[in-house]
Amino acid sequence: MHEALRLYINKYTSSEISDADFETVKKAFTPKHFLKRQFFLQEGDVCKYTAFIVKGAMRQYSVINGVENIVSLGIENWWMSDRESYSMLTPSQYNIDAVEDCDVLLVGYEKMLPLAESIPLIARMITMMDQRHSIAMQKRIHNAISLTAEDRFLDLMKTNPVFLQRFPQNMIASYLGITPESLSRIRKKLAAK
Amino acid sequence: MHEALRLYINKYTSSEISDADFETVKKAFTPKHFLKRQFFLQEGDVCKYTAFIVKGAMRQYSVINGVENIVSLGIENWWMSDRESYSMLTPSQYNIDAVEDCDVLLVGYEKMLPLAESIPLIARMITMMDQRHSIAMQKRIHNAISLTAEDRFLDLMKTNPVFLQRFPQNMIASYLGITPESLSRIRKKLAAK
DNA sequence: ACACGTTCTTAACATTTGTCAATCGTACTT
DNA sequence: AAGTACGATTGACAAATGTTAAGAACGTGT
C-alpha cells in the first residue's frame, strides 16, 4: 500500500529515499479506503488532510444552484485536497468525493511539516509538487481564457487521455466548464472527421 | 525604493525584518525602470528574474494568431514572472511588459535561494506568497468554469476594483477571457440597472 | 491647434454554447 | 427477466459571445 508513495517520492526527486527515512514517512500517512461516492471533504468543513491516491479516482467540485463545478480530477499518484482550506484552516467551499472505490494515504498538516523539516528529500518533493501544481493551474487558466470548448477538449485528450477512460462525460464536461450536451455535440463533430 | 519591499515583507510575515537581514535582502534585488510598453520578458526567452513592482503596472500574456491573452495583471506590491520558465529554466510562451512606466526590483533564482536559506523570515514570506498565489489561481479557475462573463466581471469589480482604474478595458476583457466588444456590452447592460 | 493613434462603443450578423425535453442505451438491482 | 437509475445523445429553441466594420471619444505628441 505505501509502496506507491515510495515510488512517487523516488520519481519526483530523482533519488532513492532510504529505508530509515521511508519508515518515518510511512508513520505519518494513514491508509484509508473510500467507497464510490463517499466524501473525503464536504463543503463547510475544514480540509484537515491531503490524500495521496494509491488506487481509484476522485474529484473536487463546488455546487452552485444545484450544479456541480469540477475544479480538479485525480487518479493514481495524484494528491487531492483543498489547499486553501488545508493551509488556512478555513471552511472549504468544495466537496471532494470518490468517483471510484479508492485506496488513499492521508496525511495532516501537523505531520507533514516535521517530515519536510527533518527529511530534505521530502522538502524537495513538496517543492516539486507545488511547482508542478502551479504550472498546471496556470496552463488551465490560459486554456480557459484563450481556447474554445472544442480546443480545451482536444487539449485534454492530448495531455490527460486517461481521464476520458476514468471519468464519465458529464464530469469531463464540468471540468472543461461546459454542459454535457455541449461536450456530446463537440464529440460528434470531431468524430465526423 | 527598497522600502516598499521592506513593508511587504513585514506585512506578509506579520513580523519586522531586522536592519541587518534587510541589508542582505537589499543586495539581492536590483532596481530597474521600465518604460510603458517595454518588455520585461519576451516569448521564447527564459525568465531569469522575478520582478517586485514598486510602482506601475504590468501584464503577462501570450499571443496566439495575433490575439493577446492576458493570464495575469500586476500593480504595486505584486510579483511578476513566468514561474514555469523561472523555475524550470525553459523558454517562456509568455510576454511580460509594462502597461505604465514602472519601478521594479529584480531578483534572480540564484540570489533568492540563498536568501531563503539564510533568512527564515524570507522563507516564510515565499511560502506565504506561494500559498496566496495558489489560492488565487484556484479561484480564477473556478470562476472561469462556473461563472458567466458578466459574473466574472462583477467578481473582478468586487475583488480587484483597482484593476478597472489602472488597465484599459481591452486588457480587462482579455483577462476575463472575452472580447472588448463583449465587455462593452456587459458594462452597458449593468449600467442600465 | 492639429494630426495621429488608441480606446471604446455600437450595430448587424454569425457562431457557439446553454436550456429544456424527449429518447435511447446500459448497467445494476431485485 | 423486469424494473430502475443513470449517463449519453438528439433536436428545437434561446441566450451569450464572437466577428466584422464603422465611427465616436479621448489623449498624446509635434
Side-chain angles (χ1 to χ4, degrees):
Chain A
M1 175 87 176
H2 288 83
E3 202 50 30
L5 179 57
R6 182 168 201 155
L7 291 173
Y8 181 91
I9 295 170
N10 290 346
K11 178 172 177 190
Y12 286 109
T13 58
S14 309
S15 309
E16 294 267 330
I17 190 170
S18 70
D19 289 345
D21 279 349
F22 190 63
E23 276 309 307
T24 312
V25 171
K26 255 173 103 164
K27 287 198 195 98
F29 284 80
T30 312
K32 170 144 183 167
H33 189 74
F34 283 96
L35 294 175
K36 184 171 173 174
R37 301 240 165 89
Q38 189 179 348
F39 284 103
F40 163 55
L41 172 69
Q42 282 200 58
E43 183 178 344
D45 292 346
V46 171
C47 186
K48 292 197 178 124
Y49 305 98
T50 292
F52 176 77
I53 304 178
V54 174
K55 183 155 184 6
M58 306 182 98
R59 63 180 177 147
Q60 175 184 1
Y61 59 102
S62 72
V63 180
I64 300 177
N65 299 332
V67 179
E68 297 175 350
N69 305 105
I70 297 181
V71 295
S72 103
L73 295 174
I75 56 173
E76 287 80 13
N77 293 320
W78 290 55
W79 299 82
M80 292 298 283
S81 83
D82 175 15
R83 288 170 180 245
E84 176 168 2
S85 173
Y86 180 78
S87 61
M88 315 275 286
L89 302 177
T90 51
S92 179
Q93 67 170 308
Y94 297 104
N95 304 282
I96 299 179
D97 66 13
V99 176
E100 306 169 357
D101 288 7
C102 286
D103 292 318
V104 308
L105 295 171
L106 299 184
V107 61
Y109 200 70
E110 75 293 346
K111 293 211 174 174
M112 197 60 170
L113 254 191
L115 274 192
E117 281 166 5
S118 64
I119 307 176
L121 208 60
I122 297 297
R124 206 158 90 221
M125 181 193 75
I126 293 174
T127 303
M128 286 293 163
M129 279 168 51
D130 286 349
Q131 263 180 28
R132 287 164 49 85
H133 184 245
S134 168
I135 290 169
M137 283 202 296
Q138 167 132 299
K139 191 186 157 196
R140 189 128 177 256
I141 290 171
H142 186 249
N143 281 357
I145 67 169
S146 67
L147 300 184
T148 62
E150 180 175 330
D151 286 338
R152 294 201 299 279
F153 177 67
L154 287 171
D155 180 75
L156 183 65
M157 278 183 61
K158 189 187 286 186
T159 58
N160 281 108
V162 66
F163 279 8
L164 306 182
Q165 314 300 322
R166 298 290 289 275
F167 297 97
Q169 278 173 31
N170 58 28
M171 293 187 193
I172 298 290
S174 173
Y175 182 77
L176 293 173
I178 57 179
T179 59
E181 292 92 337
S182 280
L183 179 54
S184 185
R185 275 182 301 221
I186 288 169
R187 278 164 42 85
K188 187 179 181 182
K189 188 175 154 200
L190 289 175
K193 298 181 184 171
Chain B
M1 173 88 176
H2 288 84
E3 203 49 32
L5 179 58
R6 182 169 201 154
L7 292 173
Y8 181 92
I9 294 170
N10 290 347
K11 178 171 178 191
Y12 286 109
T13 59
S14 309
S15 309
E16 294 267 329
I17 189 169
S18 70
D19 289 346
D21 279 349
F22 190 64
E23 276 308 309
T24 312
V25 170
K26 257 173 100 163
K27 286 198 196 98
F29 283 79
T30 313
K32 170 145 183 168
H33 189 75
F34 283 95
L35 294 175
K36 185 172 173 174
R37 303 238 164 93
Q38 189 178 348
F39 284 103
F40 163 56
L41 172 69
Q42 282 201 60
E43 182 177 346
D45 292 346
V46 171
C47 185
K48 293 198 178 124
Y49 304 98
T50 291
F52 177 77
I53 304 177
V54 174
K55 182 152 185 10
M58 307 183 97
R59 63 179 176 147
Q60 175 184 2
Y61 59 101
S62 72
V63 180
I64 300 178
N65 300 332
V67 179
E68 298 175 350
N69 306 103
I70 297 181
V71 294
S72 103
L73 296 174
I75 56 174
E76 286 79 13
N77 292 320
W78 290 54
W79 299 83
M80 294 297 284
S81 82
D82 175 15
R83 286 168 180 246
E84 175 167 3
S85 173
Y86 181 77
S87 60
M88 314 277 285
L89 301 177
T90 51
S92 179
Q93 66 170 307
Y94 297 103
N95 303 281
I96 299 178
D97 65 15
V99 176
E100 307 169 355
D101 288 6
C102 286
D103 292 318
V104 306
L105 296 170
L106 299 183
V107 60
Y109 199 70
E110 75 294 345
K111 294 211 175 174
M112 197 60 169
L113 255 190
L115 275 192
E117 280 166 5
S118 63
I119 307 176
L121 209 61
I122 296 297
R124 206 158 90 222
M125 181 194 76
I126 293 174
T127 303
M128 286 293 164
M129 281 168 50
D130 285 350
Q131 264 182 25
R132 287 165 50 85
H133 185 244
S134 169
I135 290 168
M137 282 202 295
Q138 167 132 300
K139 189 186 159 197
R140 189 129 178 253
I141 290 171
H142 186 249
N143 282 357
I145 67 169
S146 68
L147 301 184
T148 62
E150 181 175 329
D151 287 338
R152 295 201 298 278
F153 177 65
L154 287 171
D155 181 74
L156 183 65
M157 277 181 62
K158 188 185 289 184
T159 59
N160 282 108
V162 65
F163 279 7
L164 306 182
Q165 315 300 323
R166 300 289 289 274
F167 298 97
Q169 278 172 30
N170 59 31
M171 293 187 193
I172 298 289
S174 173
Y175 182 77
L176 293 173
I178 57 179
T179 59
E181 293 88 343
S182 280
L183 180 54
S184 185
R185 274 183 300 219
I186 287 169
R187 279 164 41 85
K188 187 180 183 183
K189 188 177 156 197
L190 290 175
K193 299 182 181 172

